[in-house]
Amino acid sequence: MARQDRAERTRRALLRAASDEFAEKGYAGASLARISAAAEVTIGALTFHFASKATLADAVRDAGCALTRSALASLMAVSRCTGASGHGELRRVVTFTRTLARLLEEEPAVRAAARLAWDFPADGNTWYAMWRPSLGDLVERARPDFADWTTAEAVTATAVSVVTGAEFAARIGAPRGADAGLSPWDHVDRVWGLVLGARPPVTLGGDENPVGAGTL
């Protein structure tokens, strides 16, 4: 049992170190030597758990996708319970992008999974591909909220662009709340504020501010 616990700790340490490395350097620039040094294990221990850089990258991507699925699960469950009736569903589209921005800001494995999606664009099993269907479901449910002023395609494109911008903000490492407004969270708020500025406020509830009507 002690050996199993030690092996699991080593595996977790390697995944944490690899998440930081892939998020910062991308797949091509990532170094197994730096990962093993950061995890304070030998290269032999690394290859015992992960036979290749590709195997390690897959494990990091899977970890980032799992964190993302878990964070989005409650949001999607609430949306399904309300039915496809609109009446504030657009706020969940905004919250969806805010949730992804928070994950990109706080979770190295999510940042790494997003970065690896750009490194392997032909791979259909990417971080972006994982959450796009859920976004599409939310946008479809929100149609009554925006049908008189825009299209589902435009809302979807805006949401994807917002998340892509948040990923870039996370990658360059601007601190949350920076005056430049380049943290992932700030990026999401400012873009939605611009897009929805001429529309009625989209009240998010909780500790989140309304978006739109000059509220940002």
Side-chain angles (χ1 to χ4, degrees), residues 11-207:
R11 178 177 163 74
R12 288 197 299 267
L14 285 167
L15 284 174
R16 285 193 298 270
S19 294
D20 288 333
E21 181 76 3
F22 285 122
E24 181 179 353
K25 305 293 185 181
Y27 183 82
S31 163
L32 294 183
R34 283 196 300 267
I35 291 171
S36 64
E40 299 182 338
V41 302
T42 65
I43 285 287
L46 187 156
T47 56
F48 173 82
H49 289 276
F50 304 100
S52 65
K53 184 160 79 168
T55 302
L56 182 54
D58 286 344
V60 168
R61 180 198 60 194
D62 290 346
C65 287
L67 285 169
T68 304
R69 287 191 193 93
S70 178
L72 294 175
S74 60
L75 176 65
M76 297 306 300
V78 168
S79 181
R80 284 192 293 270
C81 289
T82 62
S85 58
H87 307 299
E89 288 295 317
L90 184 56
R91 71 185 174 87
R92 290 194 175 90
V93 176
V94 177
T95 302
F96 186 95
T97 61
R98 283 183 162 200
T99 300
L100 293 175
R102 176 180 60 79
L103 290 168
L104 287 164
E105 187 172 11
E106 297 176 356
E107 298 288 351
V110 174
R111 289 197 300 276
R115 177 73 180 266
L116 290 168
W118 293 104
D119 291 339
F120 300 98
D123 184 351
N125 187 29
T126 67
W127 182 76
Y128 280 92
M130 181 270 295
W131 54 257
R132 282 291 300 271
S134 295
L135 173 63
D137 289 345
L138 287 181
V139 171
E140 186 62 31
R141 292 178 185 278
R143 275 184 184 273
D145 289 354
F146 58 74
D148 62 337
W149 58 277
T150 191
T151 65
E153 292 77 12
V155 173
T156 300
T158 300
V160 173
S161 296
V162 163
V163 176
T164 303
E167 186 207 338
F168 176 75
R171 190 182 301 182
I172 65 175
R176 182 168 173 171
D179 292 339
L182 288 178
S183 77
W185 189 272
D186 290 335
H187 172 83
V188 168
D189 278 357
R190 294 189 183 208
V191 174
W192 280 120
L194 176 64
V195 171
L196 301 176
R199 310 308 308 171
V202 180
T203 303
L204 300 178
D207 62 354

Side-chain angles (χ1 to χ4, degrees), residues 1-10 49:
M1 183 62 69
R3 181 177 298 178
Q4 290 178 347
D5 290 343
R6 185 167 59 253
E8 183 57 31
R9 287 196 299 271
T10 298
H49 289 276

